[in-house]
Amino acid sequence: MSGNTSRSILRNLKLEHDSAWQQILAKYNELEPTTIQPLVIQDPYRCNMLSAFICFKTEIAAQVSIMIGIGDEQTDISFDFSASGEWLYDHFIPIAGLYPDSNNIVAITVNYEDGTVESFECDIQTEALPELPVLMPTLRDIDNFEYNENIALMAEGFTFMAPQSAYIFGVDSKRVVRWILQGDYVNSEWSDIERLANGNFLVSFGFYELREVDILGRCLRQTVLSSRMHHDWWELENGQLLITTEDDSHPDNYVMDVSEVIDYPVSAETVYQLRMREVLDTSRIAIPNVNAQGSDDDKDWFHNNRAVYDVRNNSFIISGRHQDAIVSFIQSAAELTHVLELTDINWIMGNHDNWSDEYQDKLLTPIDSDGNVIDDAVANHDFWNWGQHSVTIPSDQPEEANLADYIIFNNGNYRSYDDSLAEPAATNYSQCSRYRIDSVAMTIQKTWTFGQELGSGHYSSFVGSVRDHDTTYVVNTGGICLNAQGENMGTHWGDPDNDLGLDDIYPHACVYEVLKDTKEVIWGMEFSWELTPYFVYFNFKATRASMYPANIMLYRS
């Protein structure tokens, strides 16, 4: 494993939730509930006030479908549990996505194996969301630019977020919170959420722990990492995780410069590893410079914030925020005993400044839509990635084997290594951008971009994400830093001409959805915290997913 730190689970949430499930089973066996008198348990794991269990026995094997709602056709939920093909006598129906402060009607249809059908309803009254502006920030429509909301064109599902130091939550298309993780899931170090292929959510708890949870909030697995994860992960086809981490035993104090594959869900053992310091120039100037080259502090020269694996060309794609670079490595470079060398690099995506001669033939050449080379000054300000996050691989790829498309959240910090040309936050912008790389010609073209149109009010000087859907992108500008007058000042360490202290910044986040064809914003939401410091309150990612995964795992007695 990377690093030499021995860590253990501080609180065994899985064990507690397993115990809660056994208590539910005991009550079920004692009461023997039926469709006439079902057992209804709200918030069964005491962490999701918008969830419940509905449990009952049937004398004939059956399959179940449900409808959860208040009579709103746009946001009510329906789900059919019959996809597994199993006929059961004991039914433990997870109910997730309840409306807060509402009388939710859950309509249940029981389809018996003999062809008969039975229907019944359960009323579930929920409480209002907690009025805690730190843990549950106020959600609202976007109010600083105009757009035409078109819910019908949104990608299906709910928008899930894990704001720092707050409840993890999911909202429907009307910005109503319909899913929440409270209590034991709130932490002040780091939060993130993503759905796994098995239908469960993977939630990071601080820098060293991953928690796999179902839609009720039950913790099914806790994985403790040997080194600090920063901050994202990518699920491989075999279920293992490609994570961004570091070697906390390194004598030179280098941090956040390792990507590795761990043997998830079996363990946190390292299977493959890429150590950036072995091949990249650790002395190259870093922008934004956050303890990047301090003599005493951790040397955060690379700041690895995302790694993905591209199966089309068998390569690891690594994002280094402080190098304003995305680097592609051949697959064999990640063998544990291998020391990285220049021949392991396929290409380097990013501005051309301050790279020594040995890297020149790895740098991609920026071209416009006509194939003309874009000069350095224009490319630096308007083309390249600066302080980027969320590199990912869209599903619709070009047919040619030498071409590959990638999308990023381009934060846009500085946009120049020349101090006189550096862009201050007050006039800067962030973008969702899609690039096409020709690995034979070693060129790169920006084929789609959006964000400058929204102005500096949506400049996110740190964090951010973009997720690709069939006809839209869902974009999270999660690190907007405003002063008391509502002007964007950026981060104290991440933007030029920022002399504000922590108490002068008001953290703010915005999630919006934009059509690929027309670049029209069709949906959005904002939330903010009136408390500081801003590095405690922000939103790293927004992900769109259905409330009920198609392959949901059924509860069994």
Side-chain angles (χ1 to χ4, degrees), residues 89-350:
Y89 294 92
D90 297 298
H91 305 275
F92 304 91
I93 309 303
I95 304 300
L98 295 171
Y99 293 84
D101 195 21
S102 300
N103 180 41
N104 293 262
I105 299 174
V106 181
I108 299 175
T109 301
V110 184
N111 293 284
Y112 291 103
E113 195 170 21
D114 64 3
T116 59
V117 178
E118 181 181 7
S119 298
F120 66 96
E121 292 183 350
C122 294
D123 290 358
I124 301 179
Q125 177 66 48
T126 54
E127 296 181 357
L129 293 172
E131 293 186 6
L132 300 169
V134 175
L135 293 174
M136 189 66 256
T138 301
L139 311 180
R140 62 180 187 274
D141 194 359
I142 296 174
D143 60 8
N144 63 357
F145 71 87
E146 294 183 359
Y147 70 99
N148 295 317
E149 186 165 278
N150 193 334
I151 292 176
L153 297 180
M154 292 175 63
E156 291 185 4
F158 293 74
T159 307
F160 294 90
M161 287 155 284
Q164 184 84 344
S165 303
Y167 295 141
I168 299 170
F169 63 89
V171 302
D172 62 23
S173 58
K174 293 185 176 180
R175 291 166 286 274
V176 176
V177 174
R178 303 282 298 282
W179 190 83
I180 193 168
L181 289 183
Q182 303 159 276
D184 299 314
Y185 288 105
V186 176
N187 74 95
S188 59
E189 281 189 312
W190 192 258
S191 286
D192 195 8
I193 183 171
E194 194 85 65
R195 173 157 277 165
L196 296 169
N198 66 11
N200 295 325
F201 285 111
L202 191 63
V203 174
S204 59
F205 188 79
F207 292 102
Y208 292 95
E209 186 180 334
L210 295 173
R211 296 178 175 179
E212 187 173 331
V213 303
D214 68 11
I215 60 173
L216 297 180
R218 180 181 178 180
C219 183
L220 301 168
R221 181 177 288 105
Q222 287 177 267
T223 302
V224 176
L225 306 173
S226 60
S227 292
R228 180 171 59 169
M229 186 181 72
H230 187 271
H231 300 280
D232 216 339
W233 61 80
W234 175 270
E235 186 180 10
L236 302 177
E237 290 183 343
N238 62 2
Q240 293 177 339
L241 297 180
L242 172 58
I243 68 172
T244 56
T245 183
E246 59 191 38
D247 181 355
D248 54 14
S249 66
H250 195 275
D252 291 330
N253 245 20
Y254 292 134
V255 297
M256 303 179 190
D257 63 354
V258 175
S259 288
E260 67 181 29
V261 176
I262 62 172
D263 193 22
Y264 193 86
V266 178
S267 72
E269 290 291 330
T270 303
V271 180
Y272 300 101
Q273 191 176 81
L274 295 153
R275 300 166 292 276
M276 303 303 116
R277 62 181 177 274
E278 293 176 350
V279 67
L280 298 179
D281 182 3
T282 60
S283 66
R284 181 175 179 261
I285 188 172
I287 287 182
N289 188 334
V290 183
N291 294 334
Q293 290 145 335
S295 58
D296 299 320
D297 296 323
D298 290 343
K299 297 179 179 63
D300 191 6
W301 67 279
F302 188 73
H303 203 84
N304 186 3
N305 59 19
R306 175 76 159 167
V308 301
Y309 183 73
D310 194 338
V311 296
R312 293 180 71 239
N313 49 45
N314 298 317
S315 61
F316 292 94
I317 313 297
I318 314 296
S319 169
R321 168 169 163 82
H322 291 174
Q323 291 296 302
D324 309 297
I326 298 171
V327 186
S328 171
F329 289 92
I330 62 176
Q331 179 178 349
S332 59
E335 296 293 336
L336 291 179
T337 58
H338 180 74
V339 177
L340 291 178
E341 51 192 38
L342 279 173
T343 54
D344 295 323
I345 297 177
N346 293 312
W347 43 258
I348 299 173
M349 169 183 168

Side-chain angles (χ1 to χ4, degrees), residues 493-510:
W493 298 285
D495 290 280
D497 302 325
N498 184 341
D499 58 359
L500 296 180
L502 295 178
D503 294 336
D504 300 311
I505 300 265
Y506 296 89
H508 190 78
C510 172

Side-chain angles (χ1 to χ4, degrees), residues 13 56 67 82 150 195 200 376 411 424 452 468 502 537:
L13 196 59
F56 55 90
M67 169 72 79
S82 66
N150 193 334
R195 173 157 277 165
N200 295 325
D376 286 346
N411 294 75
Q452 184 174 3
D468 174 54
L502 295 178
Y537 306 111

Side-chain angles (χ1 to χ4, degrees), residues 47-102:
C47 60
N48 181 354
M49 61 176 287
L50 304 178
S51 70
F53 257 134
I54 297 179
C55 315
F56 55 90
K57 290 177 177 286
T58 56
E59 293 183 359
I60 302 172
Q63 296 175 340
V64 174
S65 61
I66 60 171
M67 169 72 79
I68 304 168
I70 56 173
D72 188 328
E73 292 184 359
Q74 289 183 334
T75 56
D76 287 352
I77 300 171
S78 61
F79 187 74
D80 187 348
F81 290 91
S82 66
S84 67
E86 297 183 73
W87 299 87
L88 303 175
Y89 294 92
D90 297 298
H91 305 275
F92 304 91
I93 309 303
I95 304 300
L98 295 171
Y99 293 84
D101 195 21
S102 300

